[in-house]
Amino acid sequence: MENFIRIEDLTRAEMLRFFELARDMEIMREMGSDLCKGRILGAMFYEPSTRTRLSFESAMFRLGGNVLGFADPNSTSFAKKETLADTIHMLCNYADVLVIRHFWAGAARLAALHSTVPVINAGDNANQHPTQTLTDLYTLWKARENLSGMTVGVCGDLRFGRAAHSLVYGLAAFDVNIVLIAPEGLELPEEEMWRLDQQYGAKVSRARHPGHVIEDLDALYVNRLQKERLPDDLDAEEIQRIASQYRIDAALIARAKPTCLALHPLPRVDELARELDDDPRAVYFEQSSNGVPVRMALLALALGRAPSNPFEPKKTEAQTHAAPVCRSKTCVSAHEPDVPALTETVGLATLRRVCHFCGRFV
Ligand code: NCD
């Protein structure tokens, strides 16, 4: 594996082979392993994280490797205005694989451009969170084996939730019936909607409230309101009021199928009632635990130490433009100097151009 930046780069067959590898890692997690002995993970966390950072660190320790990094960018030369490109040039002298979480969309893609070691995206603003998606799909696969034909509700803040943005592509790759359940103003962005339709031919329906569809679902994936990403022109109080109507509680889950799984990338705030924790269908803590074998598999692959390679070589055709073309304010190209103006073509019958970094239409 070279870099792992976004979930669309993986096919269903690759993900299925990857799940087998992750399952093998569960044994190494218990027994201990020297698979990545002598190797160093650089964990670069520019945004808050509990599960993602610590499960990556745990994964590296379980594989016999070492970890360095930071969880607060203000303790690094970022506070002295060092560019991301320069920081990456340094870090790849100190580590053999980099895991980066950043508050600019496309930062992991840019990091990969400058890095001489593999880069793994641990979440870039509201763009993607592909290692979370592998964890989510692995959780469903372990429970159900065959994801195809399942009906999965993806509920909550679908506009700013990066976990949801990568999840929908992952579900589409498995021919899952996707039910998007979002309050007004927090719907899935047009790029994701368009690509689900044009690139995946996905079966997508929409609902305004989980109560309208709960009986139909084989799994319900809940997302919190991403308060920290609400733009200034949105009325945060009004959005919070609307989002609070999306609380998933025991009364709602009582109406669900006896086999309907409840997932959440965590952290939860108040969208998921604690009374659900003891329900065997609530698998969100197991899901966060699954992040360890999934990230063990990703690190072993990135370091060329995995016993098998589920992934085919990747080729991304990006087109260079003379002047910047991305208009997104959260894109790395709007903040970092000298980012090359790159776009990519997406779609099948109809084609559109998107920013190579943040994936938004240009
Ligand atoms: C998610 C994230 O950071 O995007 N958390 C995680 O990594 N498990 C979801 C969230 O913060 O809402």
Side-chain angles (χ1 to χ4, degrees):
M1 187 179 82
E2 296 277 297
N3 306 302
F4 183 46
I5 308 294
R6 58 188 178 189
I7 199 75
E8 310 93 279
D9 288 340
L10 301 186
T11 63
R12 182 201 304 208
E14 287 174 314
M15 287 191 268
L16 285 171
R17 291 197 294 265
F18 175 83
F19 298 155
E20 305 278 354
L21 181 65
R23 194 167 54 188
D24 293 346
M25 291 291 161
E26 302 222 15
I27 300 160
M28 291 192 203
R29 175 194 202 169
E30 290 311 312
M31 307 294 287
S33 158
D34 276 345
L35 209 57
C36 294
K37 190 165 180 230
R39 302 279 87 186
I40 298 175
L41 158 65
M44 308 170 65
F45 279 73
Y46 289 82
E47 266 195 344
S49 173
T50 304
R51 271 149 293 270
T52 305
R53 183 169 68 86
L54 297 178
S55 63
F56 262 116
E57 294 194 1
S58 173
M60 194 57 178
F61 290 130
R62 299 271 189 215
L63 291 168
N66 291 299
V67 181
L68 56 76
F70 55 86
D72 174 9
N74 289 318
S75 70
T76 74
S77 287
F78 172 80
K80 303 177 194 169
K81 307 269 180 267
E82 184 171 58
T83 62
L84 177 60
D86 281 356
T87 308
I88 294 291
H89 283 306
M90 294 305 108
L91 260 290
C92 47
N93 294 320
Y94 310 151
D96 305 298
V97 56
L98 300 178
V99 169
I100 179 167
R101 166 170 289 192
H102 206 286
F103 37 72
W104 296 332
R109 168 67 70 205
L110 185 74
L113 269 187
H114 292 286
S115 180
T116 54
V117 301
V119 173
I120 298 177
N121 184 6
D124 56 330
N125 192 278
N127 182 31
Q128 285 229 351
H129 194 351
T131 72
Q132 179 67 47
T133 299
L134 287 179
T135 303
D136 303 338
L137 296 175
Y138 179 61
T139 304
L140 289 173
W141 177 79
K142 268 174 65 176
R144 294 282 178 271
E145 197 80 18
N146 188 5
L147 274 60
S148 176
M150 282 179 85
T151 299
V152 177
V154 186
C155 174
D157 181 352
L158 307 188
R159 178 165 170 197
F160 298 109
R162 57 188 169 206
H165 293 171
S166 9
L167 178 69
V168 291
Y169 295 142
L171 293 174
F174 280 92
D175 277 332
V176 165
N177 302 308
I178 304 169
V179 187
L180 301 171
I181 310 163
E184 201 175 337
L186 296 178
E187 293 97 344
L188 199 69
E190 57 168 335
E191 286 85 355
E192 280 77 9
M193 285 305 293
W194 187 87
R195 292 181 77 171
L196 281 176
D197 182 42
Q198 297 287 326
Q199 198 168 324
Y200 289 91
K203 290 165 242 140
V204 179
S205 56
R206 290 171 188 253
R208 266 290 172 231
H209 195 277
H212 299 160
V213 287
I214 189 71
E215 289 89 355
D216 304 332
L217 303 179
D218 299 307
L220 175 62
Y221 189 101
V222 187
N223 297 277
R224 79 181 164 93
L225 175 66
Q226 308 279 303
K227 247 180 159 173
E228 70 275 32
R229 300 196 202 290
L230 295 181
D232 297 339
D233 56 337
L234 280 187
D235 181 346
E237 259 176 46
E238 175 63 3
I239 293 267
Q240 173 77 61
R241 193 190 61 73
I242 298 169
S244 67
Q245 294 163 6
Y246 279 69
R247 193 155 190 274
I248 310 298
D249 57 16
L252 183 88
I253 293 298
R255 291 170 43 209
K257 291 181 188 174
T259 50
C260 176
L261 301 172
L263 293 95
H264 193 305
L266 302 176
R268 68 174 148 189
V269 187
D270 44 18
E271 66 286 343
L272 194 60
R274 275 156 194 79
E275 65 199 18
L276 292 178
D277 294 359
D278 295 329
D279 189 314
R281 295 171 294 178
V283 291
Y284 31 85
F285 292 123
E286 194 184 319
Q287 182 186 355
S288 71
S289 170
N290 286 335
V292 176
V294 162
R295 290 174 174 122
M296 287 171 76
L298 285 169
L299 290 172
L301 282 165
L303 292 166
R305 300 276 180 102
S308 63
N309 185 356
F311 302 146
E312 312 288 340
K314 299 285 173 277
K315 201 168 79 207
T316 305
E317 307 269 354
Q319 188 183 328
T320 318
H321 299 265
V325 280
C326 185
R327 290 180 304 269
S328 170
K329 287 188 191 140
T330 56
C331 180
V332 66
S333 61
H335 301 276
E336 169 90 358
D338 306 321
V339 174
L342 290 171
T343 60
E344 273 172 62
T345 305
V346 294
L348 287 174
T350 326
L351 301 176
R352 296 278 310 251
R353 293 204 78 79
V354 295
C355 171
H356 179 59
F357 297 98
C358 71
R360 297 297 121 196
F361 286 145
V362 295

